[in-house]
Amino acid sequence: MDGKIPTKKIEKAIPKLPAKTGVYYFRNARRITIYVGKAANIKRRILSHFRSSASQSALSETKSIDYTLCASNIEALILESRIIKKLRPKYNMLLKD
């Protein structure tokens, strides 16, 4: 299942995010994926980005958050890796080759 949370104020959209396993995508105003992450709990993981000073650059550019639910953590890990290799998002420093 895929979902999309477009919003001017991303923080207000966090309650709408699922507390399920999956891959999430931060997208900029041009809908370009700037960060891809995986999580056992998408809602909790995205909330942690807002509490981290390391994530502020990516969050300042983020205009929408999309996600894809996965059946397991392994499925999420594989999907995240494939997407990072394909899209090469600006803020993903690891897994690029």
Side-chain angles (χ1 to χ4, degrees):
M1 175 188 281
D2 294 340
K4 188 184 303 181
I5 307 291
T7 182
K8 291 182 181 179
K9 295 188 179 185
I10 300 288
E11 287 180 272
K12 289 184 178 182
I14 290 174
K16 297 177 186 175
L17 293 168
K20 296 184 176 185
T21 301
V23 175
Y24 58 92
Y25 319 88
F26 288 178
R27 301 195 197 274
N28 66 15
R30 293 179 22 214
R31 301 283 305 143
I32 294 170
T33 301
I34 58 172
Y35 182 78
V36 176
K38 65 170 175 21
N41 181 319
I42 293 172
K43 182 188 294 188
R44 186 175 32 203
R45 180 65 183 112
I46 290 175
L47 185 58
S48 76
H49 282 288
F50 284 89
R51 295 181 178 146
S52 168
S53 60
S55 299
Q56 293 309 304
S57 293
L59 288 175
S60 68
E61 288 185 48
T62 300
K63 299 301 178 199
S64 68
I65 298 172
D66 299 338
Y67 59 87
T68 302
L69 297 179
C70 297
S72 69
N73 287 332
I74 297 295
E75 181 184 340
L77 178 66
I78 293 167
L79 179 60
E80 176 199 37
S81 178
R82 286 180 179 161
I83 292 170
I84 289 170
K85 287 176 183 175
K86 179 180 177 184
L87 300 180
R88 305 183 77 71
K90 178 179 179 178
Y91 290 102
N92 286 94
M93 301 301 179
L94 302 176
L95 298 178
K96 286 186 174 182
D97 41 330

